Amino acid sequence: MRVSVAAAAAPAARSPIIGGVDDTRAPMHAAAPAEAGADDADVALMLAYAAGDAAAFARLYERHERPVYRFLRRSLGAGGEASADELHQEVWLAVVRNAAGYAPRARFTTWLYGIARSKLIDHWRARRPDASLDEYVDE
């Protein structure tokens, strides 16, 4: 899944995240940066993006795109490719929408995966069948 950098040009912009690429053809990136200052770099990139630097968003996306997608795919289980693609776009759109209010209170990845987890919970809740109050229930 690829996010258009043009769609993320301004943090306040509400442009849709568009595009799609077969995940198997996307370049491999490390699951999470291993170097000690990686989180500091992520925070600096997110703050730069919040200040309007679209290239900072592109770098963040490049660093975290595949790990976030894999997290979504694993969480959705078999047959969840389409839902993972949709949720992946929603996660990155939420990053775009919430960039202006971003405050580094924790690791950047904690914030990012918190968004992904919230999107998963919303997805599961929407799919859960509602119980009817009119149906008879055995005790």
Side-chain angles (χ1 to χ4, degrees):
M1 197 74 193
R2 294 276 182 209
V3 174
S4 169
V5 175
R14 303 237 174 190
S15 301
I17 296 177
I18 58 173
V21 176
D22 180 6
D23 186 55
T24 59
R25 294 186 321 208
M28 293 296 289
H29 297 291
E35 60 271 9
D39 193 57
D40 291 339
D42 289 340
V43 168
L45 286 168
M46 187 61 194
L47 292 172
Y49 174 61
D53 182 1
F57 177 83
R59 182 71 179 125
L60 276 173
Y61 182 77
E62 178 184 302
R63 291 171 73 133
H64 298 286
E65 164 201 12
R66 295 205 23 114
V68 169
Y69 182 80
R70 284 192 304 266
F71 169 74
L72 294 169
R73 275 295 292 121
R74 269 193 321 270
S75 299
L76 290 167
E81 293 88 3
S83 294
D85 288 343
E86 181 180 326
L87 291 176
H88 191 247
Q89 286 188 3
E90 289 180 24
V91 167
W92 288 101
L93 183 56
V95 169
V96 169
R97 288 183 174 160
N98 294 306
Y102 174 75
R105 293 185 200 104
R107 295 178 57 154
F108 171 78
T109 52
T110 301
W111 181 76
L112 179 62
Y113 282 89
I115 292 171
R117 181 178 176 272
S118 293
K119 297 297 179 186
L120 280 166
I121 290 170
D122 291 346
H123 171 78
W124 290 324
R125 284 182 180 156
R127 301 225 180 308
R128 181 176 58 197
D130 293 328
S132 172
L133 296 177
D134 295 329
E135 290 181 24
Y136 179 76
V137 177
D138 287 329
E139 292 186 51

